[in-house]
Amino acid sequence: MTTSQASVSFTTASVGKKVLMAITGICLIGFLIVHLIGNLQLFIGQEQLNKYAETLQSLGGLKWGFRLFMLVLAVIHVWKGVVLWLENRRARPIGYHREDTVQASLSSRTMIYTGLLIFAFVVYHLLHFTLIVTNPEYAQLKDSVGRVDVYSMVITGFSNYAIAIAYLIAMFLLAYHLSHASESFFQTMGWANDKYLPKLKILSNLFAIVIFIGYASMPIAVLLNIVKLPGGGN
Amino acid sequence: MNLTLYVWRQKDAEDKGSLEKYDARDINHHMSFLEMLDVVNEGLIQEGVDPIAFDHDCREGICGMCSLMINGRAHGPEKATTVCQLHMRHFKDGDTIYIEPWRAKAFPVTKDLIVDRSAFDRVMQAGGFVSVNTGGAPDANALPIPKANADVAFDAAACIGCGACVASCKNASAMLFVSAKVSQFALLPQGHAERKQRVEKMIAQMDEEGFGNCTNYYECEAACPKEISVRFIAKMNREYLMATIAK
């Protein structure tokens, strides 16, 4: 083997792939924050949430542009993640009989599994609430002004224990994934050093907890009857 | 003290290899791990058995030749210690110890516990140097370097190239080694001129050798006998991004 003279292209080089993971990842995190803020309007009430949903739906071309952008981000993130995982497995064809772990966190070692499970959840979530394929009866829900009744849809959805628990598990996996992901972003982009890295690790865990509490609050509030269907029924 | 060893035995690069059981009898607590293996080998030679082949050189913890995976940890259980500086007092009488070679596609086993680490040499040849015209030695202190920079560069240059980072990384990635080498040059004025080509070429060579990718486990940092920090991996990522953007 001789030393290579030609430099490899950015998107196939090891560090380049990491940077792609980091940038697509941080954009997806940005979406998680926006999506959470939007969804938490559930607690303000039916009028607010349905108005917000209608505003988003009325964006037309912008909405589809955004959806396409998110799809591309997600596909790159998942695809590069799988490629990296496969390459890393190939880099050690014969493993150890005894293998110990000193400081690699469990979340860092399970990124591919939590990641793929989250991807599967996202597919279900889109079929469930966005495309309304798995529960077509939601499509009939309209509020008093004739808008799509997102508020009632969410409450009806989470009133089903199996669905609510599936969402809670997915949110736990997401938070677990994020606890390594957000800190990793700074390391990969080269914005970490001895002073910041320990703090970034703590912030990364805190952020994951906030995301979990934020998203989990909605199915839990429905299960505990804190938010109810209009008219008091559940 | 008496120990039970499970040692990887492999005749040559083509052999399949297997773990073999050996008894280490009457081992002195003050012996280094390698001296313990020397004693076991003496016994094997007397029995007419091929002794266990393992890499070693200075036995002072500075050459980077010794390279054993002991009970699943590169260089054994002690922090910031090479195998040659690991003493048997850290083990207990009756312990069972697994001894395996570094495992990575880029580090093929040549015999028993010895692996071929030439991949590191080729990474260095790709860019781990400063191009200078030959001539008289320059005056000391002709080139002023801030103390803080010199200290960080020295922290990176403490790398002895043993490969424990690769061995301990779950992905068999060489990022800690390559980043230490990239950083030690990038931090000093002599290395500035070639910093962009250097990081690109060394990373390209690292990829070509078949090392894995870094997923920020930081297991390398824990295994490194010279305690090289993962801050240098962040530094190399930054160097690489700057070089890419500059193009």
Side-chain angles (χ1 to χ4, degrees), chain A residues 1-10 12-19 84 87-88 90-105 108-109 180 183-194 197 201, chain B residues 8 19 69 71-73 98 100-105 122 125-126 166-167 169-172 175 201 203-219 221-222 229-231 233-234 237-238 240-241 244 247:
Chain A
M1 208 180 294
T2 54
T3 57
S4 65
Q5 294 303 311
S7 63
V8 196
S9 90
F10 181 78
T12 52
S14 53
V15 181
K17 274 179 288 205
K18 275 163 57 77
V19 169
L84 283 165
E87 283 179 357
N88 294 342
R90 275 200 296 272
R92 178 167 293 140
I94 302 168
Y96 296 106
H97 284 83
R98 273 289 190 89
E99 192 171 350
D100 203 0
T101 300
V102 184
Q103 65 178 29
S105 65
S108 72
R109 287 180 283 134
H180 178 66
E183 162 216 328
S184 235
F185 169 78
F186 293 97
Q187 170 76 2
T188 299
M189 298 305 287
W191 298 331
N193 61 25
D194 288 348
L197 194 58
K201 283 183 186 176
Chain B
W8 184 259
L19 272 182
M69 203 72 176
N71 284 341
R73 291 221 200 154
Y98 282 76
E100 297 177 74
W102 285 174
R103 290 292 188 193
K105 183 171 161 248
R122 289 187 293 269
Q125 285 161 20
V166 175
C169 176
K170 311 285 177 199
N171 304 335
M175 288 282 279
K201 284 184 176 168
I203 287 177
Q205 189 63 35
M206 171 182 86
D207 292 350
E208 197 177 306
E209 297 291 346
F211 290 109
N213 304 284
C214 176
T215 47
N216 307 332
Y217 293 128
Y218 310 141
E219 199 63 14
E221 185 184 65
S229 161
V230 293
R231 68 181 291 185
I233 296 182
N237 292 340
R238 197 158 66 235
Y240 183 76
L241 277 171
T244 307
K247 268 206 298 202

Side-chain angles (χ1 to χ4, degrees), chain A residues 7 10 18 26 28-29 38 51 56 62 72 75 81 94 111 125 137 144 150-151 154 156 173-174 186 193 202 216 233:
Chain A
S7 63
F10 181 78
K18 275 163 57 77
I26 204 75
L28 292 168
I29 285 177
K51 200 173 79 188
L56 289 185
L62 197 67
V72 170
V75 166
I94 302 168
M111 288 302 270
H125 179 54
E137 67 275 13
S144 52
V150 174
Y151 181 81
V154 170
T156 314
L173 293 173
L174 175 68
F186 293 97
N193 61 25
I202 296 167

